[in-house]
Each structure stands twice: as structure tokens, then as C-alpha cells.
Amino acid sequence: MRVLVTGAGGRLGRAVVPRLRDDGITVRATSRRPRTDQDVEWVVADLETGEGLDEAVAGVDAVLHLASAPTGGRTYEVDVLGTRRLVVAAGHADVRHLVYTSIVGVDRVPMPYYRRKLAAEQVVAAGPVPWSVLRATQFPEFLDELLVMSSRLGPTIGDRNVLAQPVDPGEVAARLSARLVAGPLRGIEEYGGPEVLRFDQAVRAWRAARHSRRPLLPVRVPGRLGRSLREGGLVTEALPRGARTWADYLADTYGGTARR
């Protein structure tokens, strides 16, 4: 099987590409700038303009669409219109399966980026290519970066009752590879980490791993957004789940934290 991977240079893409290759899948990867790799066929393509998409999808069996632009004001152009451009090109090329990676909570959490991701899901579902959507929970690296940012002024600031469910990118990559092999779901699958954590629990483990004494300064997220985050908008009960815990991530990243 030959698979085109968009967003192959991103955080998830860096886990997905070697996993696909290990599973015997031939990878063609997109980049907005020329790249070379003896193990991967890189092609230049731009979702924002559509340049190179027809050539990128030519001759592939499936497309794994990871690319996204969560910041910088390009989200609608890349995530929604860019996904439409990709779907159209894939349809013209008779691609047999398009897998779109999304986020658990896009249909429940009222954030602008999530609304764009939900719109992109709808573009995929309405398109001519047989499709699957995999919604994943948050990567531990993202939670780590969020805690660093929340601690810039001294204490770690956040809503102690917000719920999160970190999932390892490598495990998401394995799930995506299995979905490609299984074929189109024509539906939405959710995939999360092994445990649901309150924000204050995640902070305590993070502080211990970093040998930090920064206190938690509770600040309640207001309105519908806060309510959805506290009520589990970012977590899923779907099975199966990943196995690598927040404690595992912290131990590998900072050392000195026992795995549970």
C-alpha cells in the first residue's frame, strides 16, 4: 500500500511515518518546501494554495491527512478549505481511502479551532473518497507545554477541575496505521490515553517530576467553555485505549518519577 501523509513533519507525523514504514506501508509525504529522505518520498504540496496536490495524490492508495494550522490565522484556509482541496484532488485520483485526524471534543468544546476541525471532518464525510476520522485526545507534550506556559508568572495557573486524557503520539500512530490497513470506516472513531486526570492531579505529578515547588493558583475557566472542559469535553470512554501514562511521559522526559 502506498499512502500519502500530509503534515508528515509535525509532532504526530514524526511518529506516524516510521510506524507506517515498519508496518510495510510505502510512504509519500508532503511538505511546503523541498525535502529529501532516503526512506520517504517527499513531494512539495501546499494545502493553502492547492499547489502540488494533484501530483501528490497521483498513484496513492490512501491519504492520511494530519496537516493542520492551529495558530497564525491560517486555520480556516488550511484546515477547512485546504482539506476540501485535498478531498477533491483525491477524488479525481480515485484514492480508495482518506483518513482524517481530528481531536476528541471538537463537537462539544466551544473553541474556534475546534469548530474548524469539526468543519473539516464534515468536508471529508461529504466528499467522494471513502473515509475514516480518528479523533485523539491530547498529547502529553502539549499538556507539558501548557503547564510551562501557565507557570510563567510563578505559580501554575489553571482550573483544577478541567479533565484531560493524555495519549502517546506513538500509540495514535499505531492506531492510524491499523485503520489504514482495515479500510474505510465511514464514521468517527475516538482514541484516548489510559487515564483521565484532573488538572490539579496532572500539575502535582508534573511538579514532582521537575522538582518544582510552584503552587497551583486555581482560576476557574468561565462560561460554556469552562463548563465543557470540567464536564469531560476533552475525554472519551471509547475502547481500546493507549497504555502509556502521564507518569510514563514525565519519567522519560524529566526522570525521577516512578511509573504507575
Side-chain angles (χ1 to χ4, degrees):
M1 181 190 301
R2 181 183 297 274
V3 175
L4 176 72
V5 180
T6 72
R11 177 171 287 158
L12 180 56
R14 292 192 295 272
V16 161
V17 169
R19 177 67 196 215
L20 296 183
R21 292 181 55 250
D22 288 347
D23 289 344
I25 295 172
T26 301
V27 176
R28 177 184 292 170
T30 68
S31 173
R32 288 190 295 161
R33 289 169 290 277
R35 298 177 63 162
T36 57
D37 188 323
Q38 63 179 1
D39 298 317
V40 176
E41 178 191 0
W42 284 93
V43 296
V44 175
D46 191 337
L47 289 168
E48 192 169 4
T49 65
E51 183 179 357
L53 289 181
D54 289 338
E55 294 80 4
V57 298
V60 301
D61 302 296
V63 173
L64 178 52
H65 184 22
L66 312 179
S68 182
T71 60
R74 299 168 50 241
T75 303
Y76 183 75
E77 192 64 40
V78 172
D79 286 68
V80 182
L81 298 185
T83 296
R84 181 175 292 124
R85 296 180 186 102
L86 178 64
V87 167
V88 169
H92 289 160
D94 294 322
V95 172
R96 299 198 298 268
H97 189 190
L98 192 150
V99 180
Y100 179 63
T101 56
S102 188
I103 307 169
V104 167
V106 291
D107 55 340
R108 302 190 296 271
V109 177
M111 293 193 294
Y113 177 54
Y114 278 27
R115 287 196 292 270
R116 303 304 194 202
K117 295 292 286 185
L118 182 60
E121 288 184 4
Q122 294 164 349
V123 167
V124 169
V129 181
W131 60 279
S132 305
V133 169
L134 180 71
R135 292 177 180 169
T137 55
Q138 317 78 38
F139 297 150
E141 294 87 347
F142 171 78
L143 181 54
D144 190 1
E145 291 166 1
L146 176 64
L147 293 178
V148 170
M149 183 175 65
S150 299
S151 304
R152 286 181 301 175
L153 300 179
T156 303
I157 301 170
D159 189 328
R160 68 173 71 213
N161 291 312
V162 165
L163 299 177
Q165 190 178 0
V167 65
D168 180 66
E171 293 176 331
V172 176
R175 195 71 185 168
L176 288 166
S177 181
R179 172 47 54 198
L180 285 165
V181 172
L185 180 65
R186 294 187 184 272
I188 298 169
E189 177 183 7
E190 294 191 342
Y191 188 71
E195 56 188 356
V196 174
L197 300 171
R198 288 196 320 270
F199 185 78
D200 58 347
Q201 294 173 316
V203 170
R204 281 197 297 272
W206 181 76
R207 286 194 317 230
R210 291 164 55 96
H211 307 287
S212 170
R213 296 186 178 182
R214 293 175 184 268
L216 171 62
L217 177 61
V219 175
R220 188 176 176 86
V221 179
R224 290 177 55 239
L225 174 60
R227 186 164 57 252
S228 68
L229 296 176
R230 290 186 292 272
E231 292 176 351
L234 295 177
V235 307
T236 180
E237 296 180 353
L239 297 174
R241 298 181 180 182
R244 191 164 181 258
T245 66
W246 177 233
D248 292 332
Y249 166 80
L250 293 173
D252 291 340
T253 304
Y254 297 108
T257 299
R259 291 178 172 84
R260 295 197 298 271

